[in-house]
Amino acid sequence: MQRNNIHLAVCADGAVTETLNALKASPATSKAKAKFVLATDGAWFETEDLDSGETIACQYPHFPDHFGFFLPLAGISTVKEIRNNAIDIKATGRLNRLYVELLKDNEDWATDARRHDMNQFMTRLIFCFFAEDTDLFKGDDLFTSTIEQMTDSRTDNTQYVIGELFRAMDMKPEDRKTANLPRWACVFPWVNGGLFAGCKEIPTFSRIARSYLLHAGRLDWKEINPDIFGSMIQAVADDSERGELGMHYTSVPNILKVLNPLFLDGLRGQLEEAGDNSRKLLNLRKRLSKIRVFDPACGSGNFLVIAYIRMREIEADIVRKRGEPVQKSWIKLEKFFGIEIKDFAVEVARLSLLIAEFQCDVRLIGQKEAKSMMLPLKHTGQIRQGNALRVNWLEVCPPVGTGVKLVSNDLFDTPLEQVEIDFENVAGETYICGNPPYLGSTWQSKEQKDDLETIFDGRVKSWKSLDYVAGWFMKAADYGIVENASAAFVSTNSICQGQQVPILWPLIFQTGHEIAFAYTSFKWANLASHNAGVTVVIIGVSKKAGATRQLFSLEGDSETVVKKTGNINTYLVPAPSIIVDSVSRSPNDRALMVWGNKPTDGGNLVVSSVERQRIISNTPEASEFIRLYFGAAEFIRGLERFCLWIEDDDLAKAVAIQEIRDRIARVKGFRLASKAAETRPASEYPHRFRQI
Ligand SMILES: C[S@@+](CC[C@H](N)C(=O)[O-])C[C@H]1O[C@@H](n2cnc3c(N)ncnc32)[C@H](O)[C@@H]1O
């Protein structure tokens, strides 16, 4: 038994299930607050997470495949999708060890000035691990085994060996003859695409760091999921995110709630409608090739990756139906745009898209062709590092028809050999999507408030009450004025409630956008401690919302109900667009609304449930002076609170009770000391609320 952790037992052959049941039933398990019970006879293995009720039963040798299940023992919380992907967790865990260890030996790499170099170095490693497991490098585990063989755990030549490997990968075959590369580096292909250009420095490697590098390399990276892995890997470079693996993770079903109604359903509809008509199918394929997807808070790119994969699947259907010979996809990664504030996530987003492209090619075209097309690396998604609320979106994802200068827009900010590539954006559609950060007005930093100010100041007065996510909606709507674009984001539901509605939505409507589809509030089933209690909505806005709009709601756990309606208003109700604004005076035909009871008491007339219990148990006669007290919080959240309520006639009786007497004295002192002249006279009747 490990207190607060696990109760486990080794048992006789064949007695695993009954032993697990005995552990579960044991009073010691609950007394020690064990989170898990586990039993094994060495051949069979069973365990249960006592909080979630999830269980695992497997052959004992498969135990390590399930270690994601036990992450709570390491103080790490994460969602089920991540827990179930052992390879992604292992990869993140090992990279993380390596990252931390490298920073110990290379302190300057942890500074702001060097962080980009560090992140770039880690991304190069990830690429090599992936490449050696997918036969992009010839020979099994070529990268890891070369390092293992050519370096020595007792000396410090790891840095040199990796440096030479990276130098080779940055060099065209024709330049190698005179480059004096070691023989073992020459077998590595030219990768380039900017990935190995730029900073050539390699951090120094201690013995421990070398071991961690080899451990990471020994994983089978072929199976990593560019969407899950990407979201998790943000934690590698960020101490604060480590306890909640995949803190930013938006699950694939939730990503599809955004992407399907935004544009994927439309594409599938067109595919179905085309039937076997070759010309219609070809038109759809052309349409697909012109679509641009843009996530202005892209993290490590999972919305873009999923959009890309799903579009490739539709394209594959077209190719199959038309009986076209297998050929390269027309869907180009450079049509996928993103903005992300965190440097490491940016690097990973670019790499994730390349990995997604390769995996799609393998699946849809075949391993051999995919390999031949991958190297040297070409363009990947156009991911910009920056603050999305400050960056001009029209520069990141320029209006179609204008020439786009692709300068240093390759994998890793390094100019390509081609110097600059201009390519014409033929008219198409742009879909803006994502899960931008939500942050209520009281939680925003000074910088975040300033971000909102640059967007809303001068357009609307009370912009300070807006959630941070409102900035993304506004920028998307502004972008849509210029460009043929529709947008959909996951958002906190507060922007569709109360005071934010009349501030934000009239501005959005002024740009010609309407709500094209929405998911009404649902609980964000993500990491408990981080997102506890967050209720989200999904809102799609468009200038071409159409006559029929789709309003989705989730019933129970997973059933989705969709209502077709002519209008979705800002409260996400299928009804006319009426916005409830605040007014400071009651209209003439309504009852006058005035200040209610206002204590102005320094907290001394207000009594919590606990205080009430204490006071009454000490002096039961106090109970007649303690009343239920309802404010907005009590009303909305069902909380309980009390106050002292003493009529003038009862004052003598009340002050006979010591606690009440003390409280009244403190109210008097508080009011006397008040800076507000109108409060001070109220010190004459401190047993009462100042206003009744
Ligand atoms: C909820 S996460 C979603 C990311 C990704 N879609 C996923 O599911 O992993 C929001 C992302 O926005 C980024 N972010 C926060 N503030 C930003 C800003 N001002 N500009 C650009 N990105 C920002 C965060 O770093 C984070 O990666």
Side-chain angles (χ1 to χ4, degrees):
M1 163 73 82
Q2 280 191 3
R3 177 162 282 284
N4 294 324
N5 280 334
I6 189 163
H7 197 181
L8 58 89
V10 174
C11 59
D13 272 359
V16 175
T17 306
E18 57 187 276
T19 308
L20 193 80
N21 287 339
L23 287 172
K24 244 179 104 170
S26 156
T29 303
S30 50
K31 196 159 160 240
K33 300 200 177 97
K35 295 191 189 89
F36 291 86
V37 285
L38 181 162
T40 183
D41 58 5
W44 188 245
F45 171 93
E46 290 188 22
T47 179
E48 180 169 340
D49 176 338
L50 296 172
D51 284 339
S52 69
E54 273 183 75
T55 58
I56 283 172
C58 64
Q59 305 285 349
Y60 182 74
H62 297 155
F63 172 20
D65 298 340
H66 297 287
F67 83 89
F69 186 81
F70 298 99
L71 281 177
L73 293 178
I76 293 174
S77 61
T78 185
V79 280
K80 197 162 160 218
E81 289 90 338
I82 288 180
R83 270 203 308 277
N84 291 347
N85 278 282
I87 172 69
D88 299 296
I89 302 176
K90 283 187 197 165
T92 309
R94 293 189 188 182
L95 286 176
N96 179 241
R97 289 242 165 90
L98 176 61
Y99 196 94
V100 171
E101 200 55 40
L102 283 176
L103 289 185
K104 275 192 208 155
D105 304 325
N106 303 270
E107 277 176 11
D108 59 319
W109 288 64
T111 59
D112 280 349
R114 298 298 310 267
R115 186 154 301 131
H116 177 72
D117 295 338
M118 180 67 184
N119 293 343
Q120 192 178 34
F121 175 72
M122 292 301 287
T123 330
R124 287 171 180 169
L125 287 183
I126 297 171
F127 173 80
C128 292
F129 294 147
F130 180 74
E132 69 178 2
D133 289 339
T134 44
D135 293 341
L136 285 168
F137 294 165
K138 285 198 189 75
D140 282 349
D141 281 347
L142 184 69
F143 180 72
T144 310
S145 3
T146 307
I147 294 175
E148 189 162 26
Q149 283 159 20
M150 293 302 145
T151 62
D152 186 330
S153 60
R154 283 156 306 174
T155 60
D156 55 0
N157 63 345
T158 310
Q159 189 184 23
Y160 161 75
V161 171
I162 298 178
E164 289 299 281
L165 295 180
F166 284 5
R167 191 158 73 91
M169 289 185 239
D170 188 25
M171 202 176 288
K172 286 184 189 157
E174 59 266 31
D175 298 334
R176 292 187 175 193
K177 287 188 198 87
T178 51
N180 209 11
L181 277 174
R183 220 162 16 95
W184 40 263
C186 287
V187 286
F188 282 80
W190 176 45
V191 173
N192 195 294
L195 179 53
F196 290 94
C199 172
K200 303 274 190 263
E201 243 185 285
I202 310 290
T204 53
F205 270 72
S206 65
R207 253 177 99 162
I208 303 177
R210 175 183 177 272
S211 303
Y212 283 144
L213 175 86
L214 298 177
H215 291 175
R218 282 199 199 105
L219 285 175
D220 184 0
W221 287 74
K222 182 164 71 248
E223 304 300 333
I224 59 169
N225 296 289
D227 58 318
I228 291 182
F229 173 71
S231 299
M232 289 168 60
I233 209 166
Q234 288 202 43
V236 166
D238 203 321
D239 291 337
S240 61
E241 297 191 10
R242 215 149 286 145
E244 292 190 33
L245 212 48
M247 181 157 152
H248 300 283
Y249 179 70
T250 315
S251 67
V252 176
N254 281 337
I255 292 174
L256 290 175
K257 285 191 187 90
V258 175
L259 298 181
N260 280 341
L262 182 62
F263 71 107
L264 291 175
D265 283 345
L267 293 173
R268 283 190 210 102
Q270 196 179 339
L271 176 69
E272 204 162 294
E273 200 262 324
D276 292 326
N277 183 318
S278 185
R279 190 182 44 78
K280 285 187 178 172
L281 288 167
L282 184 64
N283 283 343
L284 178 59
R285 190 165 183 204
K286 286 186 186 152
R287 180 184 164 199
L288 270 170
S289 71
K290 292 180 194 161
I291 286 177
R292 306 189 306 168
V293 186
F294 174 22
D295 180 348
C298 69
S300 31
N302 54 358
F303 278 73
L304 300 176
V305 163
I306 298 297
Y308 176 78
I309 294 174
R310 299 291 161 138
M311 285 167 66
R312 286 288 304 264
E313 284 167 2
I314 296 173
E315 187 190 43
D317 270 351
I318 298 173
V319 169
R320 194 178 39 76
K321 280 186 170 184
R322 278 174 51 88
E324 290 177 22
V326 172
Q327 52 168 298
K328 255 178 122 164
S329 171
W330 294 357
I331 300 169
K332 299 278 174 259
L333 288 184
E334 57 268 29
K335 298 267 184 208
F336 292 74
F337 299 79
I339 307 175
E340 166 59 43
I341 207 159
K342 289 198 172 164
D343 184 77
F344 192 42
V346 171
E347 304 289 340
V348 176
R350 292 171 178 159
L351 190 57
S352 294
L353 278 166
L354 279 175
I355 291 177
E357 181 186 48
F358 178 74
Q359 289 178 340
C360 284
D361 284 346
V362 170
R363 216 172 310 135
L364 306 172
I365 308 177
Q367 173 92 2
K368 207 164 138 229
E369 285 74 10
K371 264 168 44 191
S372 69
M373 288 189 319
M374 178 94 172
L375 294 180
L377 296 176
K378 325 265 170 342
H379 294 302
T380 181
Q382 307 200 43
I383 316 292
R384 171 86 67 97
Q385 200 248 321
N387 179 341
L389 298 191
R390 297 295 182 132
V391 169
N392 180 355
W393 290 13
L394 290 167
E395 267 172 27
V396 178
C397 184
V400 266
T402 60
V404 185
K405 288 216 166 24
L406 254 187
V407 193
S408 353
N409 218 342
D410 183 61
L411 242 188
F412 297 95
D413 288 343
T414 318
L416 282 175
E417 302 255 312
Q418 296 100 305
V419 196
E420 281 184 8
I421 299 169
D422 287 343
F423 73 84
E424 189 73 18
N425 265 315
V426 224
E429 307 140 63
T430 303
Y431 296 103
I432 305 174
C433 57
N435 181 6
Y438 352 117
L439 217 49
S441 63
T442 34
W443 308 107
Q444 292 157 18
S445 65
K446 164 90 174 62
E447 291 74 31
Q448 289 166 329
K449 277 257 182 278
D450 292 348
D451 293 344
L452 288 184
E453 186 173 13
T454 57
I455 298 170
F456 290 102
D457 193 38
R459 293 171 103 168
V460 66
K461 270 215 291 246
S462 341
W463 60 266
K464 283 187 185 149
S465 306
L466 289 172
D467 190 281
Y468 195 45
V469 75
W472 272 263
F473 278 93
M474 197 64 242
K475 289 205 63 142
D478 286 341
Y479 182 91
I481 296 176
V482 182
E483 183 55 12
N484 176 21
S486 298
F489 295 120
V490 185
S491 163
T492 160
N493 66 352
S494 72
I495 66 162
C496 295
Q497 294 176 345
Q499 61 175 349
Q500 293 195 53
V501 171
I503 305 172
L504 174 67
W505 288 99
L507 291 177
I508 305 268
F509 292 156
Q510 274 164 29
T511 63
H513 286 77
E514 291 181 58
I515 299 180
F517 73 90
Y519 271 82
T520 57
S521 297
F522 60 97
K523 276 253 173 293
W524 191 243
N526 215 339
L527 318 175
S529 54
H530 179 58
N531 276 332
V534 177
T535 306
V536 296
V537 291
I538 290 169
I539 310 172
V541 294
S542 172
K543 281 184 304 187
K544 300 178 193 154
T548 312
R549 324 241 165 124
Q550 289 184 302
L551 184 59
F552 301 88
S553 46
L554 296 181
E555 309 270 311
D557 258 359
S558 54
E559 200 199 339
T560 306
V561 177
V562 54
K563 205 178 268 171
K564 302 243 160 99
T565 163
N567 192 53
I568 299 174
N569 73 17
T570 50
Y571 302 95
L572 308 188
V573 175
S577 292
I578 294 168
I579 290 184
V580 182
D581 210 338
S582 63
V583 287
S584 48
R585 273 172 211 287
S586 305
N588 289 340
D589 57 340
R590 305 290 167 89
L592 206 60
M593 211 176 191
V594 291
W595 277 106
N597 293 336
K598 199 175 173 195
T600 320
D601 62 335
N604 293 297
L605 295 177
V606 180
V607 179
S608 71
S609 305
V610 178
E611 286 170 330
R612 173 175 171 268
Q613 268 171 12
R614 178 178 47 76
I615 297 171
I616 293 179
S617 68
N618 291 343
T619 45
E621 65 277 21
S623 72
E624 70 172 291
F625 301 114
I626 303 179
R627 306 271 183 93
L628 262 176
Y629 180 37
F630 268 83
E634 288 69 38
F635 178 65
I636 293 171
R637 297 186 208 137
L639 305 176
E640 198 179 53
R641 177 165 80 141
F642 299 84
C643 67
L644 291 184
W645 196 265
I646 302 160
E647 301 290 349
D648 293 347
D649 293 345
D650 296 331
L651 183 57
K653 203 166 144 200
V655 294
I657 301 164
Q658 174 80 39
E659 165 116 17
I660 294 182
R661 192 163 64 242
D662 292 348
R663 281 176 174 254
I664 290 176
R666 289 200 294 271
V667 176
K668 190 178 180 76
F670 175 80
R671 288 181 184 171
L672 273 174
S674 170
K675 286 203 182 90
E678 63 276 22
T679 297
R680 289 193 291 270
S683 58
E684 297 294 319
Y685 50 91
H687 61 287
R688 279 198 262 136
F689 277 28
R690 199 200 116 193
Q691 277 159 346
I692 295 178

